[in-house]
């Protein structure tokens, strides 16, 4: 296993390559990013133990990234590195929230020592952009989930988290870990559906040198890496029957045997499993072992889909917009609404098949289209606008009671209110402009823009 997973963000290609090579020689896994934007994407996509960050970069610079991470509540240690070796630069970096500061050129032994020191002080969790993101919502459904987390976290029970894709199963697992006695240990998540069976087996249990082609050195598996911490087995329903048997043995015996080895090794790991599948149906179909299911299903938390807690949509949307504003280094004036009333109605009317993940994606897309200003209806993705066509306050608002089914009359009324401007009428109707133009053609309406 690597000594730690590091993200190196620096626009100086030569420095980035040489520094990454140095750190890899010392056993670290290093991911490089040439711009601040690339670094943010890497933080969103993965988990890191340490961030090495250039102070000055074109576009999104190091200071804005640090400020955004600290606004999120992100606890990843940050080592700021800069060619501007001034007191002012160091003060600026540390004031923003960096943990340490070095100036270029950096002596290899100094860099190694600072990295080691910061990793010793790091939180027990491997970090990512969502590591500390809270479960946002005030609906009864989310309140029940939070109550269950509070109930099970202090125990050592294995937990099974179920729910559709995008509902926040990993957030629940992280919350359980953070509230447990294991919070000072590692939190490691692995997506079982994303890896081929042989690769997943090696990742989970490790392997010894020579176990298979390409196994040039011993590798510690994730069960051992998460010793005294928590391991999330995400999408456990996609694991093959053969691997299910090995997982069952780990849960029963609390020991793992690396691939190619014969000596079992003890592990002390709390397992949280998550799945989008109905494991009882999988059991009945013979695709999931019943003995493993009962080992995992000691305490079950079922996450509701977003469509069943529509009252949380405004809170989630505002939460994501606050994150985006912080990341861009933009202060949000107190009391300012980031979404127009129409945009909010559209968001609440949509059914969100991709759940919270889809909502956050839609909000980020709309935020980009709005230029970071208030989001209006036309900034939202077309599928959201079109789905709101029959929502209260959109198309139905323009239908007269005596002609309720008459779509032609509704469009005419909206066009009249918009002074014939089709783009504005489309927003009022809660549909995309192309959809409005198509309907006008079908209905024989020829109002000019």
């Amino acid at each position: 296993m690597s000594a730690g997973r590091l993200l190196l963000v620096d626009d100086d290609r030569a420095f980035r390559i040489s520094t990454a090579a140095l750190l890899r020689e010392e056993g670290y896994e290093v991911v490089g990013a040439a711009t601040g934007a690339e670094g943010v994407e890497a933080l969103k996509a993965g988990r890191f133990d340490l961030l090495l960050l250039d102070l000055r970069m074109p576009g999104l610079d190091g200071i804005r990234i640090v400020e955004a991470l600290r606004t999120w509540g992100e606890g990843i240690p940050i080592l700021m590195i800069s060619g501007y070796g001034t007191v002012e630069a160091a003060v600026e970096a540390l004031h923003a929230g960096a943990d340490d500061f070095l100036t270029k050129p950096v002596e290899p032994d100094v860099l190694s020592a600072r990295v080691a020191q910061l990793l010793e002080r790091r939180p027990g969790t491997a970090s990512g952009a969502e590591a500390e993101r809270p479960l946002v919502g005030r609906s009864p459904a989310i309140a029940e989930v939070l109550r269950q987390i509070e109930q099970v976290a202090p125990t050592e029970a294995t937990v099974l988290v179920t729910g559709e894709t995008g509902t926040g199963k990993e957030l629940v697992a992280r919350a359980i870990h953070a509230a447990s006695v294991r919070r000072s240990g590692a939190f490691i998540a692995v997506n079982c559906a994303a890896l081929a069976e042989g690769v997943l087996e090696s990742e989970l249990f490790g392997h010894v040198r020579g176990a298979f082609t390409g196994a040039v050195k011993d590798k510690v598996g994730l069960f051992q890496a998460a010793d005294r911490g928590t391991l999330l087995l995400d999408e456990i329903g996609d694991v093959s029957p053969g691997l299910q048997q090995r997982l069952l043995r780990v849960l029963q015996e609390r020991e793992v045997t690396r691939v190619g080895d014969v000596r079992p090794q003890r592990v002390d790991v709390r397992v949280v499993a998550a799945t989008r599948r109905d494991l009882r149906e999988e059991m009945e179909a013979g695709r999931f072992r019943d003995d493993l299911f009962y080992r995992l299903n000691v305490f079950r938390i079922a996450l509701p889909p977003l469509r069943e807690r529509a009252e949380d949509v405004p809170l989630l949307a505002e939460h994501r917009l606050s994150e985006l504003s912080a990341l861009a280094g933009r202060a949000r004036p107190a009391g300012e609404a980031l979404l127009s009333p129409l945009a909010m109605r559209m968001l609440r009317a949509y059914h969100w098949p991709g759940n919270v993940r889809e909502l956050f994606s839609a909000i980020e897309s709309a935020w980009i289209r709005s230029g970071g200003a208030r989001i209006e209806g036309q900034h939202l993705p077309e599928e959201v606008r079109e789905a709101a066509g029959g929502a209260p306050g959109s198309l139905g608002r323009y239908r007269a009671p005596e002609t309720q089914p008459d779509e032609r009359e509704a469009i005419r009324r909206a066009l009249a209110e918009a002074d014939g401007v089709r783009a504005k009428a489309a927003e009022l109707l809660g549909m995309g402009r192309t959809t409005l133009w198509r309907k006008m053609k079908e209905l024989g309406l020829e109002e000019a823009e």
Side-chain angles (χ1 to χ4, degrees):
M1 186 189 71
S2 70
R5 190 164 189 257
L6 317 181
L7 175 61
L8 172 60
V9 185
D10 199 302
D11 63 336
D12 183 337
R13 184 173 182 272
F15 177 80
R16 192 172 65 251
I17 292 173
S18 61
T19 302
L22 168 69
L23 294 170
R24 287 183 183 121
E25 286 180 3
E26 298 189 359
Y28 299 109
E29 178 187 352
V30 183
V31 175
T35 66
E38 287 182 16
V40 170
E41 289 305 312
L43 286 166
K44 290 180 180 178
R47 290 172 295 278
F48 297 91
D49 299 302
L50 177 65
L51 173 61
L52 295 92
L53 189 60
D54 190 13
L55 177 65
R56 303 284 184 232
M57 292 180 289
L60 190 64
D61 65 13
I63 294 295
R64 288 166 65 189
I65 293 175
V66 173
E67 290 174 343
L69 286 172
R70 295 317 186 214
T71 300
W72 290 342
E74 182 60 60
I76 181 173
I78 299 172
L79 173 58
M80 191 78 83
I81 302 174
S82 175
Y84 299 86
T86 64
V87 174
E88 290 79 8
V91 170
E92 184 182 14
L94 297 173
H95 180 72
D99 296 280
D100 207 342
F101 181 87
L102 290 174
T103 59
K104 298 177 183 177
V106 183
E107 292 294 331
D109 57 341
V110 173
L111 178 64
S112 300
R114 296 291 181 87
V115 167
Q117 289 169 4
L118 287 172
L119 288 174
E120 285 177 4
R121 287 158 38 192
R122 74 186 186 267
T125 59
S127 298
E130 295 185 350
E132 301 296 331
R133 178 177 286 158
L135 281 165
V136 176
R138 296 183 187 142
S139 64
I142 283 298
E144 174 60 18
V145 169
L146 293 172
R147 187 192 67 79
Q148 291 176 320
I149 291 172
E150 184 179 0
Q151 190 176 27
V152 75
T155 74
E156 287 292 298
T158 302
V159 181
L160 178 63
V161 185
T162 62
E164 296 177 6
T165 298
T167 49
K169 296 186 289 293
E170 183 171 339
L171 293 182
V172 170
R174 288 184 179 278
I176 291 170
H177 173 76
S180 73
V181 295
R182 295 174 177 268
R183 56 185 171 271
S184 60
F187 175 91
I188 297 177
V190 57
N191 187 334
C192 299
L195 301 173
E197 180 178 357
V199 177
L200 180 59
E201 183 178 34
S202 175
E203 287 294 316
L204 289 175
F205 308 117
H207 62 251
V208 297
R209 179 181 178 183
F212 50 83
T213 303
V216 295
K217 60 181 180 180
D218 290 356
K219 175 183 174 66
V220 174
L222 296 180
F223 271 101
Q224 288 179 280
D227 193 50
R228 298 184 183 179
T230 304
L231 178 62
L232 169 62
L233 299 175
D234 199 6
E235 298 303 350
I236 189 70
D238 292 64
V239 172
S240 69
L243 205 50
Q244 289 176 32
Q245 170 62 39
R246 292 203 63 181
L247 287 172
L248 178 64
R249 178 170 179 80
V250 174
L251 292 173
Q252 288 177 333
E253 307 298 331
R254 298 290 177 178
E255 60 183 27
V256 295
T257 303
R258 291 183 292 178
V259 178
D261 201 355
V262 295
R263 298 165 299 173
Q265 300 183 45
R266 300 290 298 176
V267 290
D268 176 18
V269 177
R270 182 183 195 170
V271 170
V272 178
T275 181
R276 70 190 186 284
R277 300 183 183 276
D278 186 327
L279 293 188
R280 291 189 181 277
E281 288 185 1
E282 296 296 302
M283 285 164 47
E284 292 173 1
R287 292 187 292 267
F288 201 85
R289 297 177 62 103
D290 56 356
D291 46 6
L292 178 58
F293 171 77
Y294 296 125
R295 281 282 178 180
L296 296 173
N297 194 38
V298 176
F299 191 94
R300 179 170 171 265
I301 298 177
L303 276 174
L306 187 54
R307 62 183 173 274
E308 293 181 6
R309 56 182 187 109
E311 61 264 53
D312 287 336
V313 168
L315 286 172
L316 287 161
E318 290 280 351
H319 175 76
R320 183 60 182 142
L321 281 170
S322 295
E323 287 185 336
L324 293 168
S325 296
L327 182 59
R330 298 176 183 175
R332 175 183 175 181
E336 179 186 337
L338 299 179
L339 287 132
S340 72
L342 176 59
M344 190 64 80
R345 286 199 301 270
M346 289 179 175
L347 291 174
R348 295 195 65 159
Y350 188 57
H351 62 293
W352 301 111
N355 295 294
V356 178
R357 186 177 296 143
E358 184 186 6
L359 171 62
F360 282 1
S361 176
I363 290 297
E364 185 167 0
S365 173
W367 185 79
I368 293 169
R369 288 193 178 96
S370 74
R374 189 172 85 149
I375 291 176
E376 304 291 344
Q378 70 265 25
H379 298 136
L380 295 171
E382 187 169 0
E383 61 271 18
V384 178
R385 300 196 306 270
E386 291 187 356
S394 55
L395 187 63
R397 169 185 169 193
Y398 298 97
R399 286 178 167 146
E402 68 276 9
T403 57
Q404 191 69 15
D406 190 358
E407 195 171 55
R408 179 197 302 265
E409 181 62 22
I411 291 174
R412 277 181 170 161
R413 288 170 180 262
L415 284 164
E417 184 171 333
D419 295 324
V421 179
R422 296 180 187 180
K424 184 177 179 181
E427 181 184 353
L428 293 171
L429 290 163
M431 63 177 64
R433 282 178 288 180
T434 56
T435 302
L436 175 60
W437 295 335
R438 174 174 53 79
K439 287 182 178 291
M440 288 178 64
K441 186 176 180 180
E442 291 172 356
L443 296 169
L445 295 169
E446 300 297 335
E447 283 85 351
E449 183 171 347

